[in-house]
């Protein structure tokens, strides 16, 4: 009867993940692990070759993980790395016996004569680790796929997120030789020359496009303003122009407004009918006809809107990768940055400033990974309101984190003097500012700084080129690559009614 208790206690839990590796030996390369660790302890060059490739988790044996952690600690402290120093470090952390003791460490150093081929061996170890991770992830996905209580789209996001973590943590890009980079640069210059200098994604705002040559691939662009300045109106005008006029696929992540509200703004902009009328359905016969005809362009536009509230940076990256893969999106717009979360459930793990720093770093990483521009809207602090004078925004007004300024390639502001009751610009001519706005490029990592004036139609919250004649000349050059169609005027293309609840008051 004494043996019955252990047998009864070995009940399989309902939610236990049945591993796919059951009955098989997990992928591993113990001999190579020993060779790599031994080489690192006898040759400093071996440490330099693989320290940025490996991490302790990639080793299959727990003792090897402890030894590598000791080597990594010594490396970070710029201390010598050899048999004695590694043994001493393990002794400090009370892990020497768990690592196999002095005798085992001596045996590792005797298995190799030099660090030759250590990088090749390290990459095989890394491949075995990735195989083990994929087995574990696949097992978890299979188990969760049988659970009817889990939403299938949550399952997809979770699976993509886990696979992405494996990629990000282990497939690190190495350096490239100048020869290949020069060839890439020359090919890029040739490509740009064929596009008359437009190397990025055109916004349709003429002077802004001339300043930036379009939003550039891999750039993180921050557009900041106080509430009511028209941040959402500006990016929605851009999105409509890119998708309808230039046929550029655009992804919009709206954390504040619903997707239907955003598309209603675009309908209002495209048709010239106020969103108030669209919301109430009080349209005249000619407006119904106008609506039915002009909305067709928007129906075919490659615009993809996700209105998930409190979106985490990890979910954003997963969704963006899927959109890039399935629909070939060329730009991402986020409205707005401060509403995002880190997706971590740790309490007391950091303040909001640290969270924003993490989000901005990940947005920049996403732009580089997908090689497309990422546009993120941001709020400004109330310091703007308390400051005297014209209240033009400054970089120091960026809310919650200086990391936004550090990570961004372009930091820009939207400023409308009329919002503060001003009637003139603060220039020498004291020109009237009625119906005008300013797009201020305050930081431009790869170009110049400029304040670009735009036309602003208050009752519709529309932004357009201030100099229509100049804009028409630019538009005549920007033909869609797939057709001979001439683009509409800037006034028609960039209109966007902004606040659905309060007509004429933009966000």
């Amino acid at each position: 009867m004494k043996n019955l208790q252990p047998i009864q206690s070995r009940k399989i839990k309902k939610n236990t993940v049945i591993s796919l590796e059951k009955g098989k030996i997990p992928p591993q390369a113990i001999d190579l692990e020993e060779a790599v660790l031994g080489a690192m302890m006898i040759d400093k060059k071996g440490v330099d070759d693989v320290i940025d490739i490996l991490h302790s988790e990639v080793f299959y044996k727990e003792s090897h993980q402890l030894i590598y952690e000791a080597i990594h600690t010594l490396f970070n402290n710029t201390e010598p790395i050899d048999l004695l120093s590694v043994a001493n470090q393990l002794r400090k952390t009370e892990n020497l016996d768990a690592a196999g003791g002095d005798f085992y460490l001596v045996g590792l150093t005797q298995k190799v004569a030099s660090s030759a081929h250590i990088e090749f061996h390290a990459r095989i170890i890394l491949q075995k680790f990735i195989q083990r991770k994929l087995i574990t992830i696949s097992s978890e996905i299979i188990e969760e796929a049988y659970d009817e209580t889990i939403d299938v789209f949550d399952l997809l996001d979770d699976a993509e997120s886990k696979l992405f973590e494996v990629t990000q943590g282990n497939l690190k890009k190495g350096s490239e030789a100048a020869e290949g980079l020069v060839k890439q640069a020359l090919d890029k210059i040739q490509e740009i020359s064929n596009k008359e200098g437009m190397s990025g994604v055109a916004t349709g705002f003429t002077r802004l496009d001339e300043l930036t040559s379009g939003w550039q691939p891999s750039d993180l662009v921050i557009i900041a303003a106080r509430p009511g300045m028209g941040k959402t109106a500006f990016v929605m005008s851009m999105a409509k122009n890119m998708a309808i006029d230039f046929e550029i696929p655009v992804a919009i992540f709206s954390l504040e407004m619903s997707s239907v509200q955003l598309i209603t703004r675009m309908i209002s902009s495209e048709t010239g009918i106020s969103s108030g009328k669209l919301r109430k359905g009080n349209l005249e016969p000619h407006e119904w006809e106008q609506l039915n005809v002009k909305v067709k362009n928007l129906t075919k536009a490659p615009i993809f809107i996700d209105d998930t509230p409190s979106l985490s940076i990890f979910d954003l990256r997963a969704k963006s990768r899927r959109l890039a893969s399935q629909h070939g999106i060329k730009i991402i717009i986020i409205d707005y940055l401060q509403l995002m979360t880190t997706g971590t459930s740790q309490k007391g793990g950091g303040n909001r400033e640290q969270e924003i720093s993490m989000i901005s770093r990940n947005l920049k990483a996403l732009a580089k990974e997908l090689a497309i521009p990422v546009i993120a809207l941001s709020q400004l602090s109330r310091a703007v309101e308390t400051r005297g004078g014209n209240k033009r925004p400054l970089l120091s007004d960026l809310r919650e984190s200086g990391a936004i300024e550090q990570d961004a390639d372009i930091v820009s502001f939207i400023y409308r003097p009329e919002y503060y009751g001003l009637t003139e610009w603060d220039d020498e001519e004291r020109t009237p500012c009625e119906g005008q706005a300013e797009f201020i490029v305050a930081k431009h990592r790869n170009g110049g700084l400029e304040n670009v004036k735009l036309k602003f139609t208050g009752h519709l919250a529309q932004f357009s080129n201030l100099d229509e004649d100049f804009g028409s000349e630019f538009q005549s050059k920007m033909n869609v690559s797939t057709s001979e169609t001439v683009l509409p005027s800037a006034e028609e293309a960039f209109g966007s009614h902004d606040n659905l609840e309060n007509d004429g008051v933009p966000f």
Side-chain angles (χ1 to χ4, degrees):
M1 294 297 292
K2 292 182 179 179
N3 293 330
L4 290 178
Q5 185 63 32
I7 295 175
Q8 291 174 343
S9 66
R10 289 199 300 268
K11 292 180 180 179
I12 299 177
K13 296 180 181 180
K14 182 179 180 180
N15 294 326
T16 300
V17 175
I18 307 300
S19 173
L20 293 179
E21 66 190 38
K22 189 172 183 180
K24 298 181 180 179
I25 299 175
Q28 55 184 287
I30 300 297
D31 54 340
L32 294 183
E33 290 183 10
E34 295 173 343
V36 167
L37 291 174
M40 294 179 79
M41 286 189 286
I42 66 172
D43 190 347
K44 181 181 182 300
K45 182 179 180 298
V47 177
D48 296 335
D49 288 344
V50 302
I51 198 70
D52 63 335
I53 298 175
L54 302 177
H55 51 89
S56 61
E57 192 181 2
V58 306
F59 292 90
Y60 182 72
K61 287 187 67 175
E62 184 178 353
S63 60
H64 292 171
Q65 294 178 8
L66 296 173
I67 295 169
Y68 184 82
E69 286 175 2
I71 294 174
H72 198 273
T73 300
L74 292 170
F75 179 83
N76 286 340
N77 295 336
T78 62
E79 297 178 8
I81 298 173
D82 55 34
L83 176 62
L84 295 177
S85 63
V86 172
N88 186 55
Q89 179 62 32
L90 287 167
R91 197 172 286 110
K92 284 182 181 179
T93 58
E94 300 181 352
N95 287 322
L96 182 59
D97 291 338
D102 292 310
F103 182 76
Y104 187 72
L105 294 179
V106 172
L108 292 178
T109 60
Q110 292 177 343
K111 288 182 179 291
V112 290
S114 71
S115 63
H117 314 302
I118 186 173
E119 184 176 349
F120 178 76
H121 295 158
R123 295 198 181 277
I124 293 177
I125 295 171
L126 183 60
Q127 290 171 16
K128 299 298 181 182
F129 167 71
I130 293 174
Q131 286 178 277
R132 295 197 299 273
K133 288 291 289 184
L134 290 176
I135 289 171
T136 301
I137 292 170
S138 300
S139 176
E140 292 172 352
I141 292 172
I142 288 174
E143 184 69 18
E144 290 173 352
Y146 279 106
D147 190 341
E148 296 291 342
T149 64
I150 299 177
D151 183 85
V152 66
F153 295 106
D154 289 340
L155 179 61
L156 279 173
D157 285 342
D158 185 53
E160 285 183 344
S161 178
K162 289 178 179 177
L163 290 172
F164 180 69
E165 287 177 12
V166 175
T167 303
Q168 286 294 96
N170 300 286
L171 302 183
K172 299 178 181 178
K173 186 177 180 181
S175 57
E176 298 182 64
E179 181 181 2
L181 294 174
V182 169
K183 185 179 185 303
Q184 291 179 38
L186 291 176
D187 291 343
K188 184 67 175 177
I189 293 170
Q190 180 63 43
E191 181 184 349
I192 294 171
S193 67
N194 296 332
K195 295 181 179 179
E196 299 185 6
M198 188 58 59
S199 57
V201 180
T203 68
F205 295 104
T206 308
R207 297 192 184 281
L208 180 58
D209 283 335
E210 289 207 330
L211 175 65
T212 62
S213 295
W215 301 131
Q216 298 298 308
S218 303
D219 274 5
L220 171 60
V221 181
I222 300 295
I223 300 176
R226 288 293 294 157
M229 283 293 172
K231 297 187 298 296
T232 304
F234 182 84
V235 293
M236 294 306 289
S237 296
M238 281 199 314
K240 185 180 73 68
N241 183 57
M242 293 169 181
I244 294 179
D245 298 331
F246 304 145
E247 297 183 358
I248 296 172
V250 180
I252 302 172
F253 292 91
S254 175
L255 286 78
E256 187 174 38
M257 300 178 63
S258 72
S259 54
V260 175
Q261 286 178 315
L262 288 180
I263 208 68
T264 302
R265 289 189 176 195
M266 286 191 168
I267 293 173
S268 174
S269 173
E270 184 68 8
T271 61
I273 303 171
S274 75
S275 59
K277 281 192 171 185
L278 293 175
R279 187 170 64 249
K280 297 174 183 176
N282 296 333
L283 304 183
E284 301 295 331
H286 72 278
E287 290 176 325
W288 280 111
E289 183 179 351
Q290 185 178 350
L291 177 64
N292 292 328
V293 172
K294 291 195 173 184
V295 81
K296 291 179 181 178
N297 292 331
L298 192 57
T299 304
K300 300 176 182 178
I303 299 172
F304 306 92
I305 301 176
D306 186 306
D307 59 0
T308 303
S310 301
L311 185 69
S312 74
I313 183 62
F314 301 108
D315 288 340
L316 171 72
R317 295 182 76 164
K319 292 171 184 285
S320 298
R321 288 192 304 274
R322 191 186 313 153
L323 286 169
S325 173
Q326 296 177 355
H327 303 289
I329 58 170
K330 299 301 181 185
I331 187 168
I332 295 171
I333 297 172
I334 302 161
D335 184 11
Y336 58 91
L337 188 148
Q338 277 81 11
L339 292 179
M340 294 189 66
T341 67
T342 58
T344 58
S345 57
Q346 298 178 352
K347 295 182 179 179
N351 57 32
R352 184 56 179 166
E353 182 173 335
Q354 292 172 328
E355 291 180 353
I356 293 295
S357 297
M358 179 182 178
I359 291 170
S360 66
R361 283 195 302 270
N362 276 274
L363 290 179
K364 175 58 181 176
L366 176 62
K368 290 186 67 176
E369 177 198 348
L370 299 182
I372 62 176
V374 173
I375 312 292
L377 302 188
S378 177
Q379 292 282 24
L380 291 178
S381 69
R382 291 189 178 90
V384 179
E385 311 293 344
T386 60
R387 192 164 54 236
N390 56 32
K391 302 186 186 299
R392 184 178 272 106
L394 304 172
L395 285 172
S396 58
D397 295 325
L398 281 173
R399 186 176 172 184
E400 289 184 308
S401 177
I404 298 176
E405 177 186 346
Q406 176 183 325
D407 297 327
D409 297 278
I410 295 177
V411 178
S412 56
F413 305 111
I414 297 175
Y415 170 62
R416 292 192 298 109
E418 281 186 298
Y419 182 85
Y420 298 109
L422 302 176
T423 59
E424 297 176 334
W425 289 107
D426 54 348
D427 53 17
E428 294 181 359
E429 294 80 11
R430 309 300 296 180
T431 54
C433 63
E434 182 182 357
Q436 296 182 22
E438 203 170 48
F439 188 86
I440 303 169
V441 180
K443 175 190 175 182
H444 192 183
R445 183 166 285 157
N446 300 305
L449 307 179
E450 189 175 330
N451 296 350
V452 179
K453 286 187 171 61
L454 300 171
K455 184 177 180 181
F456 177 75
T457 308
H459 68 282
L460 291 177
Q462 293 181 346
F463 288 89
S464 59
N465 286 312
L466 186 60
D467 189 340
E468 294 295 340
D469 293 334
F470 184 72
S472 298
E473 180 182 350
F474 172 81
Q475 291 285 359
S476 65
K477 296 178 181 179
M478 295 296 294
N479 287 332
V480 180
S481 58
T482 57
S483 70
E484 296 295 324
T485 306
V486 177
L487 301 179
S489 66
E491 177 74 18
E492 181 180 355
F494 309 129
S496 176
H497 193 279
D498 210 296
N499 193 339
L500 289 174
E501 301 302 324
N502 300 286
D503 292 347
V505 183
F507 280 4

